[in-house]
Every structure is written in structure tokens, then in C-alpha cells.
Amino acid sequence: MRIHLATDHAGHDFSRYLVGHLTEAGHEVVGHGPTSYDPLDDYPSFCINAAQGVVDDQAAGVDALGVVFGGSGNGEQMAANKVVGARAALVWNLDIARLAREHNNANVISIGARQHTIEEATSFIDAFIAEPFTGEERHVRRIRQLFEYETTGSIAGVSVDPARVDPSSVDPARTAR
């Protein structure tokens, strides 16, 4: 499997370990940065590039997933989720890692490198990679609705109250497709 990997300075040391671990497990690792430690680097481009790599690979039929991480994992998850087709889940334990795949067919996970030991985070990643999506109709339906809203700004047959959506949070480029 191809694994797209991105971090920021907070996860830089962990990323070097993870590349070796994933490669040894037989995965192809694609690093999206950073290439060196910089305490002032910015994670959005790294994480967006990793998520876009996953989405592009999956669209081309390549078996691919992504892992992004930083201090808390929150911003990294938000950045990855800006990519149309990315489903990034913030993971903090084994159950959540498995459920992200099993129920949500997440294709990217985000982990707080300052919140977990290397061993814990590695176990989350291994569990995420190993867990298959159930493909149950209810999960497929929900994922389809998320994608529909992501690409059109609405969900057919379901009321999404536009008054409750902050217009500044909707990217016109994403809803114009």
C-alpha cells in the first residue's frame, strides 16, 4: 500500500521513525514534508499535499492512505479535510483508528505527536491501515452525503439550513464543481 505522510516540526522526529517502520512493513511511503526540522514551519501545505496524493492515487485505482500529524493533530486534520475527497479523522486511541476506517472509510488519519508516545501512535497507524471498510449501506450512504455536500453545498432530499452555515467557511471553488 502507498502511504502519504506529512507533518510539521512537532512530528519531524516521529516521521523519520515512521518511514522506516512503514517501509519495513512493505508499504511505499511518499513524504510530503517537511524535509528538515524548522520550528517555524507551517503544516497546511504539507498536509494538503498528502491528502491530495491519497485522493489522486485512490482515483487512479492505487491502494493508498495518508497519515498527517503535528503537535495536537487538530490543524493537520483540518488542513487535510480541505481536499475534496479526503476524509481525515483525528485519532487518539486504537478504537477510533479502527472505526475511522470501518465506519467512515477514512483515507487519512491525523495524530497529535505531542499527545502520544511513538509506540502508541504507531499502533494507531498500523490498526488504521489494517482495518477494512465495512461497506455497509448506512455507512456508504453517509459518506456519499458528505461528498455531495462537499461538492455541491447541499444534500438531495435532506434539509441543510443555509442560515446555520457560515458563508465564509464555504469555499466557492469547492461548491462550484
Side-chain angles (χ1 to χ4, degrees), residues 63-140:
D63 196 16
L65 294 171
V67 178
V68 298
F69 46 95
S72 70
N74 284 309
E76 294 76 17
Q77 176 205 23
M78 291 175 197
N81 276 322
K82 295 299 180 185
V83 174
V84 174
R87 288 178 308 284
L90 180 63
V91 169
W92 63 91
N93 67 36
L94 281 171
D95 287 338
I96 297 303
R98 290 182 183 112
L99 287 169
R101 290 281 296 141
E102 185 182 344
H103 288 191
N104 306 110
N105 201 17
N107 52 11
V108 177
I109 58 168
S110 184
I111 299 172
R114 292 182 177 147
Q115 314 304 313
H116 304 283
T117 66
I118 288 176
E119 293 78 17
E120 288 171 332
T122 302
S123 71
F124 304 161
I125 293 163
D126 290 344
F128 171 74
I129 292 170
E131 189 68 37
F133 176 53
T134 66
E136 289 180 27
E137 191 278 329
R138 66 187 171 120
H139 300 307
V140 170

Side-chain angles (χ1 to χ4, degrees), residues 77 81-89 99-101 103-107 133 137-156 158 160 170 174-175 177:
Q77 176 205 23
N81 276 322
K82 295 299 180 185
V83 174
V84 174
R87 288 178 308 284
L99 287 169
R101 290 281 296 141
H103 288 191
N104 306 110
N105 201 17
N107 52 11
F133 176 53
E137 191 278 329
R138 66 187 171 120
H139 300 307
V140 170
R141 181 181 67 244
R142 293 166 185 162
I143 293 165
R144 190 178 322 113
Q145 289 176 357
L146 290 172
F147 185 74
E148 181 180 0
Y149 184 81
E150 179 178 58
T151 56
T152 70
S154 66
I155 301 172
V158 178
V160 179
V170 177
R174 291 174 72 171
T175 58
R177 295 178 194 206

